[in-house]
Amino acid sequence: MSASDFSRKHGENSKKYGLLPSLETSSEMLAKLAPEGFICEQLKRDLVTWAVELQTQNKTGLVKRVSRQASIIQCILDTNSGDREDAIQAFFERLQSDTEFQTLLEEQHKAMQDYIGMEALMREDSTSLNRDDEEEKARLARLGPGGLDPMSVLRSMSPSMKEAFETENIPLLKQSFMSLPKAEAEELYQTVVAAGLWVPHQQDSLLPSTIETVKIPKVACEDDDSSAASEGARELDPVLVMRQLPTQMKQAFASGNVPMLKECFAALPKEKATKYYQMVVDSGLWVPHERSLLEDDSNGTSD
Protein backbone atom coordinates (compact mmCIF):
# COMPACT_ATOMS: atom_id res chain seq x y z
CA MET A 1 0.00 0.00 0.00
CA SER A 2 1.41 3.37 -1.00
CA ALA A 3 1.83 6.21 1.47
CA SER A 4 -1.03 8.16 -0.12
CA ASP A 5 -3.34 5.11 -0.10
CA PHE A 6 -2.49 4.41 3.54
CA SER A 7 -3.16 8.04 4.46
CA ARG A 8 -6.56 7.99 2.77
CA LYS A 9 -7.58 4.72 4.38
CA HIS A 10 -5.98 4.98 7.82
CA GLY A 11 -5.02 8.62 8.35
CA GLU A 12 -7.69 9.27 10.97
CA ASN A 13 -7.04 5.96 12.76
CA SER A 14 -3.29 6.70 12.83
CA LYS A 15 -3.96 9.90 14.79
CA LYS A 16 -6.33 8.11 17.16
CA TYR A 17 -3.85 5.32 17.80
CA GLY A 18 -0.98 7.74 18.35
CA LEU A 19 -2.86 9.42 21.20
CA LEU A 20 -4.08 6.29 23.01
CA PRO A 21 -3.16 6.56 26.71
CA SER A 22 -2.78 2.91 27.71
CA LEU A 23 -1.40 -0.43 26.54
CA GLU A 24 -4.84 -2.03 26.92
CA THR A 25 -6.57 0.37 24.53
CA SER A 26 -3.63 0.10 22.14
CA SER A 27 -3.91 -3.70 22.08
CA GLU A 28 -7.64 -3.55 21.39
CA MET A 29 -7.33 -1.05 18.53
CA LEU A 30 -4.43 -2.84 16.85
CA ALA A 31 -6.21 -6.22 17.04
CA LYS A 32 -9.31 -4.69 15.47
CA LEU A 33 -7.49 -3.00 12.59
CA ALA A 34 -4.79 -5.62 11.89
CA PRO A 35 -6.87 -7.45 9.22
CA GLU A 36 -7.12 -4.15 7.29
CA GLY A 37 -3.35 -3.79 6.92
CA PHE A 38 -3.10 -1.09 9.61
CA ILE A 39 0.13 -2.38 11.19
CA CYS A 40 2.96 -1.63 8.75
CA GLU A 41 6.09 0.44 8.18
CA GLN A 42 4.02 3.34 6.84
CA LEU A 43 2.15 3.60 10.14
CA LYS A 44 5.44 3.81 12.02
CA ARG A 45 6.80 6.44 9.61
CA ASP A 46 3.66 8.53 9.90
CA LEU A 47 3.81 8.42 13.70
CA VAL A 48 7.49 9.41 13.74
CA THR A 49 6.89 12.28 11.30
CA TRP A 50 4.02 13.52 13.45
CA ALA A 51 6.16 13.29 16.58
CA VAL A 52 8.90 15.35 14.90
CA GLU A 53 6.36 18.06 14.05
CA LEU A 54 5.13 18.04 17.64
CA GLN A 55 8.71 18.34 18.89
CA THR A 56 9.30 21.45 16.76
CA GLN A 57 6.24 22.91 18.52
CA ASN A 58 7.68 21.96 21.96
CA LYS A 59 4.70 19.69 22.73
CA THR A 60 6.85 17.30 24.73
CA GLY A 61 3.97 15.46 26.41
CA LEU A 62 2.42 14.51 23.10
CA VAL A 63 5.83 13.64 21.67
CA LYS A 64 6.39 11.12 24.47
CA ARG A 65 3.02 9.47 23.89
CA VAL A 66 3.20 9.31 20.07
CA SER A 67 6.81 8.08 20.11
CA ARG A 68 5.83 5.29 22.55
CA GLN A 69 3.07 4.20 20.16
CA ALA A 70 5.57 4.22 17.30
CA SER A 71 7.96 2.09 19.40
CA ILE A 72 5.19 -0.48 19.94
CA ILE A 73 4.61 -0.76 16.21
CA GLN A 74 8.37 -1.13 15.64
CA CYS A 75 8.55 -3.98 18.17
CA ILE A 76 5.61 -5.78 16.57
CA LEU A 77 7.15 -5.41 13.10
CA ASP A 78 10.46 -6.78 14.42
CA THR A 79 8.84 -10.11 15.36
CA ASN A 80 8.82 -11.05 11.65
CA SER A 81 5.53 -12.88 12.16
CA GLY A 82 3.45 -13.37 9.04
CA ASP A 83 0.24 -13.14 11.07
CA ARG A 84 -0.13 -9.63 12.49
CA GLU A 85 -2.97 -10.64 14.82
CA ASP A 86 -0.83 -13.37 16.40
CA ALA A 87 2.12 -10.96 16.65
CA ILE A 88 -0.03 -8.39 18.48
CA GLN A 89 -1.30 -10.92 20.99
CA ALA A 90 2.17 -12.35 21.61
CA PHE A 91 3.66 -8.85 22.03
CA PHE A 92 1.23 -7.63 24.67
CA GLU A 93 1.20 -10.95 26.58
CA ARG A 94 4.99 -10.91 26.75
CA LEU A 95 5.02 -7.28 27.76
CA GLN A 96 2.87 -8.08 30.81
CA SER A 97 5.03 -10.97 32.05
CA ASP A 98 8.60 -10.39 30.85
CA THR A 99 10.49 -7.62 32.70
CA GLU A 100 13.44 -7.84 30.29
CA PHE A 101 11.06 -7.29 27.41
CA GLN A 102 9.60 -4.29 29.23
CA THR A 103 13.11 -2.88 29.60
CA LEU A 104 13.75 -3.49 25.90
CA LEU A 105 10.62 -1.54 24.97
CA GLU A 106 11.65 1.33 27.25
CA GLU A 107 15.11 1.44 25.66
CA GLN A 108 13.59 1.42 22.19
CA HIS A 109 11.22 4.18 23.25
CA LYS A 110 14.13 6.29 24.53
CA ALA A 111 16.07 5.71 21.30
CA MET A 112 12.99 6.73 19.33
CA GLN A 113 12.67 9.95 21.36
CA ASP A 114 16.36 10.75 20.79
CA TYR A 115 15.93 10.23 17.05
CA ILE A 116 12.83 12.44 16.99
CA GLY A 117 14.69 15.15 18.90
CA MET A 118 17.58 15.10 16.42
CA GLU A 119 15.23 15.21 13.43
CA ALA A 120 13.39 18.17 14.95
CA LEU A 121 16.67 20.04 15.47
CA MET A 122 17.73 19.38 11.88
CA ARG A 123 14.38 20.60 10.60
CA GLU A 124 14.60 23.76 12.72
CA ASP A 125 18.16 24.40 11.50
CA SER A 126 17.05 23.97 7.89
CA THR A 127 14.09 26.30 8.43
CA SER A 128 16.36 28.84 10.09
CA LEU A 129 18.86 28.70 7.21
CA ASN A 130 16.08 29.15 4.66
CA ARG A 131 14.68 32.05 6.66
CA ASP A 132 18.12 33.64 6.94
CA ASP A 133 18.63 33.19 3.20
CA GLU A 134 15.29 34.84 2.42
CA GLU A 135 16.05 37.68 4.82
CA GLU A 136 19.44 38.24 3.18
CA LYS A 137 17.85 38.30 -0.28
CA ALA A 138 15.31 40.84 0.97
CA ARG A 139 18.09 42.93 2.53
CA LEU A 140 20.12 42.96 -0.67
CA ALA A 141 17.03 43.88 -2.70
CA ARG A 142 16.34 46.96 -0.60
CA LEU A 143 19.92 48.30 -0.49
CA GLY A 144 20.20 51.93 -1.48
CA PRO A 145 22.37 53.24 -4.34
CA GLY A 146 25.35 53.57 -2.00
CA GLY A 147 25.01 50.00 -0.71
CA LEU A 148 23.47 50.82 2.69
CA ASP A 149 20.42 49.10 4.18
CA PRO A 150 17.65 51.70 4.68
CA MET A 151 16.12 49.72 7.56
CA SER A 152 19.43 49.62 9.43
CA VAL A 153 19.93 53.35 8.81
CA LEU A 154 16.42 54.12 10.08
CA ARG A 155 17.03 52.08 13.24
CA SER A 156 20.15 54.14 13.98
CA MET A 157 18.27 57.48 13.84
CA SER A 158 16.74 59.47 16.63
CA PRO A 159 13.00 58.77 17.14
CA SER A 160 11.92 62.13 15.73
CA MET A 161 14.00 61.85 12.56
CA LYS A 162 12.95 58.22 12.05
CA GLU A 163 9.31 59.27 12.35
CA ALA A 164 9.88 62.09 9.88
CA PHE A 165 11.30 59.71 7.27
CA GLU A 166 8.60 57.08 7.82
CA THR A 167 5.79 59.64 7.55
CA GLU A 168 7.54 61.63 4.77
CA ASN A 169 7.23 64.77 6.89
CA ILE A 170 9.56 67.14 4.99
CA PRO A 171 9.26 70.09 7.41
CA LEU A 172 10.13 67.84 10.35
CA LEU A 173 13.06 66.38 8.39
CA LYS A 174 14.43 69.83 7.67
CA GLN A 175 14.00 70.80 11.30
CA SER A 176 15.80 67.64 12.45
CA PHE A 177 18.76 68.29 10.13
CA MET A 178 18.95 71.97 11.11
CA SER A 179 19.19 70.97 14.78
CA LEU A 180 22.38 68.95 14.15
CA PRO A 181 25.94 70.29 14.06
CA LYS A 182 27.08 71.00 10.49
CA ALA A 183 29.54 68.09 10.26
CA GLU A 184 27.06 65.61 11.73
CA ALA A 185 24.29 66.82 9.42
CA GLU A 186 26.55 66.40 6.36
CA GLU A 187 27.57 62.88 7.43
CA LEU A 188 23.95 61.86 8.07
CA TYR A 189 22.91 63.33 4.72
CA GLN A 190 25.53 61.23 2.92
CA THR A 191 24.18 58.18 4.77
CA VAL A 192 20.49 58.67 3.91
CA VAL A 193 21.37 59.25 0.25
CA ALA A 194 23.50 56.09 0.15
CA ALA A 195 20.63 54.15 1.76
CA GLY A 196 18.11 55.42 -0.77
CA LEU A 197 16.05 57.19 1.89
CA TRP A 198 16.54 60.52 0.12
CA VAL A 199 16.98 61.23 -3.59
CA PRO A 200 19.34 64.21 -3.94
CA HIS A 201 17.64 65.70 -7.01
CA GLN A 202 14.33 66.23 -5.19
CA GLN A 203 13.09 69.80 -5.05
CA ASP A 204 13.18 70.10 -1.26
CA SER A 205 16.61 70.26 0.31
CA LEU A 206 17.32 68.71 3.69
CA LEU A 207 20.44 70.81 4.18
CA PRO A 208 21.07 74.52 3.65
CA SER A 209 22.46 75.12 0.15
CA THR A 210 25.79 76.20 1.63
CA ILE A 211 26.51 72.73 3.01
CA GLU A 212 24.52 70.34 0.79
CA THR A 213 27.65 68.77 -0.67
CA VAL A 214 25.90 65.77 -2.25
CA LYS A 215 23.04 67.56 -3.89
CA ILE A 216 22.65 66.63 -7.56
CA PRO A 217 20.54 69.15 -9.50
CA LYS A 218 17.48 68.36 -11.57
CA VAL A 219 17.50 68.31 -15.34
CA ALA A 220 17.26 71.92 -16.55
CA CYS A 221 16.24 73.44 -19.87
CA GLU A 222 17.07 76.74 -21.49
CA ASP A 223 14.12 78.65 -20.01
CA ASP A 224 13.93 79.75 -16.40
CA ASP A 225 11.07 77.43 -15.42
CA SER A 226 13.45 74.62 -14.43
CA SER A 227 10.98 72.93 -12.10
CA ALA A 228 8.31 72.39 -14.75
CA ALA A 229 10.88 71.58 -17.42
CA SER A 230 12.59 68.93 -15.32
CA GLU A 231 9.35 67.09 -14.73
CA GLY A 232 8.82 66.88 -18.50
CA ALA A 233 12.43 65.95 -19.27
CA ARG A 234 12.85 63.24 -16.62
CA GLU A 235 11.72 59.92 -18.12
CA LEU A 236 13.45 57.38 -15.86
CA ASP A 237 13.25 56.66 -12.12
CA PRO A 238 16.54 57.97 -10.64
CA VAL A 239 16.60 55.34 -7.88
CA LEU A 240 16.28 52.50 -10.41
CA VAL A 241 18.94 54.09 -12.61
CA MET A 242 21.34 54.36 -9.66
CA ARG A 243 20.91 50.65 -8.99
CA GLN A 244 21.89 49.82 -12.58
CA LEU A 245 25.11 51.85 -12.55
CA PRO A 246 28.53 50.29 -11.86
CA THR A 247 29.44 50.32 -8.16
CA GLN A 248 32.14 52.98 -8.42
CA MET A 249 29.85 55.22 -10.46
CA LYS A 250 27.10 54.82 -7.84
CA GLN A 251 29.51 55.89 -5.13
CA ALA A 252 30.61 58.87 -7.17
CA PHE A 253 27.02 60.05 -7.68
CA ALA A 254 26.11 59.41 -4.02
CA SER A 255 29.11 61.41 -2.80
CA GLY A 256 28.90 64.13 -5.46
CA ASN A 257 32.47 63.37 -6.54
CA VAL A 258 32.65 64.90 -10.02
CA PRO A 259 36.31 63.98 -10.74
CA MET A 260 35.53 60.35 -9.91
CA LEU A 261 32.45 60.50 -12.15
CA LYS A 262 34.57 61.73 -15.05
CA GLU A 263 37.10 58.95 -14.43
CA CYS A 264 34.28 56.35 -14.41
CA PHE A 265 32.91 57.58 -17.74
CA ALA A 266 36.38 57.86 -19.28
CA ALA A 267 37.15 54.24 -18.33
CA LEU A 268 34.12 52.92 -20.21
CA PRO A 269 33.88 52.09 -23.91
CA LYS A 270 32.32 55.00 -25.80
CA GLU A 271 29.05 53.18 -26.53
CA LYS A 272 28.53 52.14 -22.91
CA ALA A 273 29.53 55.56 -21.59
CA THR A 274 26.99 57.19 -23.90
CA LYS A 275 24.31 54.75 -22.73
CA TYR A 276 24.91 55.48 -19.03
CA TYR A 277 25.15 59.19 -19.72
CA GLN A 278 21.74 59.23 -21.40
CA MET A 279 20.27 57.28 -18.48
CA VAL A 280 21.53 59.72 -15.83
CA VAL A 281 20.32 62.68 -17.87
CA ASP A 282 16.88 61.18 -18.54
CA SER A 283 16.50 60.34 -14.84
CA GLY A 284 17.46 63.82 -13.70
CA LEU A 285 20.66 62.72 -11.97
CA TRP A 286 22.78 65.02 -14.16
CA VAL A 287 22.23 68.41 -15.78
CA PRO A 288 23.93 68.41 -19.23
CA HIS A 289 24.71 72.11 -19.52
CA GLU A 290 26.24 72.56 -16.06
CA ARG A 291 29.26 70.25 -16.11
CA SER A 292 30.61 67.78 -18.62
CA LEU A 293 30.99 64.03 -17.99
CA LEU A 294 31.74 63.12 -21.59
CA GLU A 295 34.23 64.80 -23.90
CA ASP A 296 31.33 66.50 -25.68
CA ASP A 297 28.14 66.85 -23.64
CA SER A 298 26.09 67.50 -26.73
CA ASN A 299 26.81 63.98 -27.99
CA GLY A 300 24.85 62.39 -25.17
CA THR A 301 21.69 64.46 -25.37
CA SER A 302 19.35 65.86 -27.93
CA ASP A 303 18.01 69.38 -28.09
Side-chain angles (χ1 to χ4, degrees), residues 219 230-238 241 275-286 288 300-302:
V219 175
S230 65
E231 291 302 315
R234 179 156 33 99
E235 301 173 357
L236 302 178
D237 186 330
V241 169
K275 173 188 173 183
Y276 283 133
Y277 182 82
Q278 192 65 54
M279 287 169 60
V280 299
V281 169
D282 288 347
S283 65
L285 290 172
W286 186 260
T301 58
S302 58

Side-chain angles (χ1 to χ4, degrees), residues 179-192:
S179 66
L180 297 174
K182 179 179 177 180
E184 187 177 343
E186 288 182 332
E187 181 180 357
L188 181 58
Y189 183 81
Q190 300 268 2
T191 300
V192 298

Side-chain angles (χ1 to χ4, degrees), residues 152-159 161-162 165 188 192 197:
S152 298
V153 172
L154 279 173
R155 285 194 291 266
S156 68
M157 291 180 179
S158 64
M161 186 170 291
K162 179 181 178 183
F165 269 107
L188 181 58
V192 298
L197 292 170

Side-chain angles (χ1 to χ4, degrees), residues 199-210:
V199 180
H201 73 274
Q202 290 176 339
Q203 183 176 2
D204 289 309
S205 171
L206 295 182
L207 301 179
S209 58
T210 55

Side-chain angles (χ1 to χ4, degrees), residues 57 75 127 175 182-183 222 231 244 289 298:
Q57 301 167 18
C75 285
T127 301
Q175 183 181 346
K182 179 179 177 180
E222 294 181 356
E231 291 302 315
Q244 296 179 54
H289 72 268
S298 62

